[in-house]
Amino acid sequence: MSYEKIVSLLGSDAESLLQHQSQTISKEQLHAPGPDFVDRIFAQSNRSPQVLRSLQQLFDHGRLGGTGYLSILPVDQGIEHTAGASFAPNPIYFDPENIIRLAIEGGCNAVATTFGNLAMMSRKYAHRIPFVVKINHNELMTYPNKYDQIMFGSVDEAWNLGATAVGATIYFGSEESSRQIIEVAEAFERAHQLGMATILWCYTRNNAFKKDGTDYHVAADLTAQANHLGVTIQADIIKQKLPENNGGFKAISFGKTHEKMYSELTTDNPIDLTRYQVANCYMGRAGLINSGGESKGASDLADAVRTAVINKRAGGMGLISGRKAFQKDMKAGVELLNAIQDVYLANEITLA
């Protein structure tokens, strides 16, 4: 996809997103993605040579290989959202082989999915694309529905089936978050011992985070603090939703804030809101990948490109987009994944 096509897809947002120059946290303070990211950032950390190799495998695969950016296909919705709701739009994805095929044909750096999906196809594909095993889930079979991330397998089993990395979710702010933090911290320690990289889905969840008609689960200040907790338990890469508003701490009247969080370190521009998320990932030392969100049909391509532009210009490391890709026929899914990657390959799109 050409730069001109990217501009066209952004529509009326093109100028505010492509011409914006951030006056909040300067780009010079960031540890931006690049071909040397593992050498520049992780080689001086406590990560072992085996973990460095796994990280480099992630960065070197697919159409974005060698750029320092990531395009990952995540498919855990069969558990998180029920398989029927997730795969009814395109039933071929009930078959885990087609999930892996989409990631390969779509030029992704990795495929992130469940123990069952990857174990079923391990010997055929573990050497062809990096596996990210999602080790915990919230399942929607319990009635009434509960919202708790529980372990679905062991880190050792993820290693046995050829994983390059493990992924996990913590619902920060939930009643169960303390247990989840301990479980995931221990799992990530074991993953690093075995030489695998770690990716954390840093999601916020608490009914109190919705107030006066505004959903602060996607507030820049709350999601950024979740990111900060995630890098504290040694996640190598942070997955987070794109921020849509700000001021969650103030609106709900909890936690601690500083006025400069809102007056100097952020603005209403989505690039600046996302840069605050990056800042809370140790200024980008742990890469921020934003999620692609739900499929909305005709607008999916434009929405995906918009999210990628915001992430890249904010200092993020890439996108992890699932439903927008697999809830279509495979050709259209590949085209959408390639469009995301084209944003990161476009030299005209730089740090704001």
Side-chain angles (χ1 to χ4, degrees):
M1 178 181 292
S2 67
Y3 177 70
E4 289 72 24
K5 178 63 174 178
I6 293 171
V7 174
S8 175
L9 286 170
L10 292 175
S12 60
D13 288 337
E15 182 175 357
S16 65
L17 295 181
L18 293 173
Q19 303 303 319
H20 177 70
Q21 294 301 315
S22 181
Q23 303 298 317
T24 57
I25 297 166
S26 71
K27 60 186 178 183
E28 287 77 17
Q29 292 179 287
L30 301 180
H31 301 280
D36 63 341
F37 192 81
V38 173
D39 289 335
R40 177 164 40 94
I41 302 301
F42 283 111
Q44 60 187 322
S45 73
N46 68 339
R47 275 50 164 189
S48 68
Q50 291 87 350
V51 173
L52 299 183
R53 180 177 60 191
S54 292
L55 285 165
Q56 197 66 54
Q57 283 181 317
L58 289 175
F59 286 118
D60 283 349
H61 194 82
R63 292 184 72 230
L64 295 183
T67 66
Y69 290 105
L70 298 172
S71 167
I72 299 175
L73 176 71
V75 188
D76 59 359
Q77 290 87 347
I79 298 173
E80 300 277 346
H81 303 155
T82 80
S86 299
F87 303 137
N90 192 352
I92 69 168
Y93 292 110
F94 279 110
D95 185 339
E97 182 167 15
N98 287 322
I99 293 171
I100 300 172
R101 282 185 55 224
L102 175 61
I104 293 173
E105 294 182 25
C108 293
N109 298 73
V111 57
T113 187
T114 65
F115 277 102
N117 284 349
L118 293 176
M120 190 63 70
M121 304 307 304
S122 175
R123 292 183 183 276
K124 185 172 182 178
Y125 289 106
H127 58 295
R128 295 181 60 188
I129 186 171
F131 284 1
V132 179
V133 181
K134 185 65 163 44
I135 60 176
N136 69 354
H137 302 281
N138 174 63
E139 52 83 18
L140 288 185
M141 188 66 185
T142 302
Y143 182 81
N145 289 157
K146 60 182 178 62
Y147 297 94
D148 185 15
Q149 291 285 329
I150 59 173
M151 292 292 176
F152 267 59
S154 70
V155 174
D156 286 65
E157 180 57 22
W159 184 84
N160 285 334
L161 61 83
T164 301
V166 298
T169 298
I170 293 176
Y171 284 154
F172 291 104
S174 69
E175 291 184 5
E176 300 83 7
S177 62
S178 294
R179 191 205 78 244
Q180 293 169 13
I181 291 169
I182 293 169
E183 286 179 350
V184 173
E186 291 175 346
F188 280 8
E189 180 183 4
R190 179 59 179 158
H192 282 154
Q193 288 173 349
L194 292 171
M196 292 182 286
T198 57
I199 304 175
L200 186 62
W201 281 234
C202 287
Y203 288 168
T204 62
R205 183 175 288 279
N206 192 307
N207 287 335
F209 292 175
K210 295 181 180 180
K211 186 174 181 181
D212 299 330
T214 301
D215 188 353
Y216 291 102
H217 285 96
V218 286
D221 54 352
L222 298 191
T223 55
Q225 180 59 20
N227 292 357
H228 194 74
L229 295 175
V231 293
T232 301
I233 61 172
Q234 300 189 71
D236 301 319
I237 298 164
I238 296 294
K239 177 190 177 186
Q240 185 55 267
K241 296 178 181 180
L242 202 69
E244 298 177 14
N245 52 50
N246 204 358
F249 280 121
K250 295 197 294 184
I252 303 162
S253 299
F254 85 114
K256 290 183 179 293
T257 65
H258 192 290
E259 185 53 37
K260 286 187 176 182
M261 291 166 55
Y262 311 102
S263 64
E264 296 185 20
L265 300 185
T266 56
T267 70
D268 291 336
N269 189 291
I271 293 171
D272 291 337
L273 294 176
T274 306
R275 177 156 296 181
Y276 188 66
Q277 290 183 340
V278 173
N280 277 269
C281 296
Y282 293 165
M283 284 295 189
R285 289 182 185 270
L288 171 71
I289 53 177
N290 287 119
S291 55
E294 66 180 316
S295 175
K296 297 179 181 178
S299 68
D300 282 352
L301 183 63
D303 291 344
V305 166
R306 179 181 184 275
T307 302
V309 168
I310 291 169
N311 173 272
K312 183 180 182 182
R313 300 213 69 220
M317 188 169 276
L319 249 58
I320 180 165
S321 186
R323 283 170 287 174
K324 281 183 169 62
F326 72 75
Q327 290 185 336
K328 297 174 172 57
D329 67 75
M330 189 169 290
K331 181 183 178 187
V334 168
E335 290 174 351
L336 185 138
L337 291 169
N338 287 169
I340 290 170
Q341 294 151 12
D342 288 341
V343 170
Y344 294 95
L345 293 171
N347 293 328
E348 298 92 337
I349 302 173
T350 58
L351 282 176

